[in-house]
């Protein structure tokens, strides 16, 4: 039974990769929003279920966007950053996620 619970928890962590802490995402915390890097193939309902399952909070809405990778040159070698999908999760009133101690 514990192995099944661990597999479910691992599946949730495959959807929500990591929190994204930038100046803009920190300003979103004033409006009860948290920003995460998520798997590119994940959907809004999957992201909502993963955040509720991992952190034990009620999610009001989920907005997603895909950041296209930039072409860069480093020491004469051309490269490309990979694409990234972000999810901006709005929590219900009174719900909070403390990024420093939860994960």
């Amino acid at each position: 039974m514990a192995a099944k619970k661990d597999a479910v928890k691992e599946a949730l962590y495959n959807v929500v990769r990591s929190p994204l802490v930038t100046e803009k995402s920190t300003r979103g915390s004033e409006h009860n929003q948290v920003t995460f890097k998520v798997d590119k193939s994940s959907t809004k309902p999957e992201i909502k279920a993963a955040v509720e399952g991992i952190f034990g909070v009620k999610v009001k809405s989920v907005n997603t966007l895909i950041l296209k990778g930039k072409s860069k040159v480093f020491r004469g070698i051309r490269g490309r950053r990979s694409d990234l999908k972000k999810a901006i999760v709005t929590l219900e009133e009174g719900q909070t996620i403390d990024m420093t101690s939860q994960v």
Side-chain angles (χ1 to χ4, degrees), residues 32-65:
N32 229 14
Q33 294 177 336
V34 185
T35 306
F36 295 101
K37 292 181 188 177
V38 296
D39 184 49
K40 280 192 272 187
S41 64
S42 59
T43 62
K44 289 182 181 185
E46 289 174 350
I47 295 167
K48 180 178 179 178
V51 170
E52 288 178 346
I54 293 170
F55 298 104
V57 295
K58 296 291 283 176
V59 174
K60 187 175 184 180
S61 67
V62 176
N63 295 326
T64 60
L65 61 112

Side-chain angles (χ1 to χ4, degrees), residues 41-95:
S41 64
S42 59
T43 62
K44 289 182 181 185
E46 289 174 350
I47 295 167
K48 180 178 179 178
V51 170
E52 288 178 346
I54 293 170
F55 298 104
V57 295
K58 296 291 283 176
V59 174
K60 187 175 184 180
S61 67
V62 176
N63 295 326
T64 60
L65 61 112
I66 296 177
L67 273 169
K68 299 294 182 185
K70 296 168 73 174
S71 297
K72 303 293 272 183
V73 177
F74 180 70
R75 294 188 180 179
I77 299 172
R78 292 181 185 263
R80 181 170 169 80
R81 291 185 188 165
S82 57
D83 295 344
L84 171 71
K85 186 170 187 177
K86 293 194 310 186
I88 301 168
V89 178
T90 304
L91 304 175
E92 293 284 347
E93 285 297 320
Q95 302 285 314

Side-chain angles (χ1 to χ4, degrees), residues 5-44:
K5 198 175 231 184
D6 290 339
V8 170
K9 194 79 159 177
E10 185 177 332
L12 295 177
Y13 279 108
N14 285 337
V15 173
V16 177
R17 302 287 175 148
S18 65
L20 189 65
V21 181
T22 61
E23 290 181 32
K24 190 171 184 177
S25 66
T26 305
R27 282 184 299 199
S29 64
E30 297 171 1
H31 303 288
N32 229 14
Q33 294 177 336
V34 185
T35 306
F36 295 101
K37 292 181 188 177
V38 296
D39 184 49
K40 280 192 272 187
S41 64
S42 59
T43 62
K44 289 182 181 185

